[in-house]
Amino acid sequence: MAVKTDQRGNSRVVFERGIPAQMMGIDGTWRRDCTMEDVSDSGAKLTIDDGSVEGLHLKEFFLLLSSTGLAYRRCELAWVNGDQIGVNFLEAGDRKKKARSASLGA
């Protein structure tokens, strides 16, 4: 495990072998095994284990970090590069704030 600083100044923890995790649709209709390659306070880099993100609704989803589903983060897609994706972590009120600021023209 190594700690690096990215272009945005965030401390990022890079895992040597990756951490097994699962992505799950907000509505629970799909799941994909993935590996968390690195993580920061604001997001993570994931490798999709089956290599395909086609057909998945990735605008917003859950990243499950435990087999029981008790440890999770709500995510939004930041970028895609082959079988790897970058995600931004969302806080509980983020969606409401974004919707309100969009309606105010901010």
Side-chain angles (χ1 to χ4, degrees), residues 73-88:
R73 292 298 303 257
R74 193 173 188 134
C75 301
E76 68 179 356
L77 183 67
W79 54 265
V80 177
N81 184 5
D83 65 348
Q84 291 192 324
I85 65 171
V87 300
N88 295 320

Side-chain angles (χ1 to χ4, degrees), residues 7-37:
Q7 297 107 335
R8 294 173 303 278
N10 293 324
S11 289
R12 185 164 291 278
V13 177
V14 180
F15 302 107
E16 221 174 281
R17 292 192 175 92
I19 304 293
Q22 279 193 331
M23 300 163 49
M24 182 179 79
I26 292 291
D27 60 2
T29 58
W30 60 267
R31 280 188 184 222
R32 287 289 184 282
D33 289 330
C34 64
T35 302
M36 187 166 50
E37 305 294 343

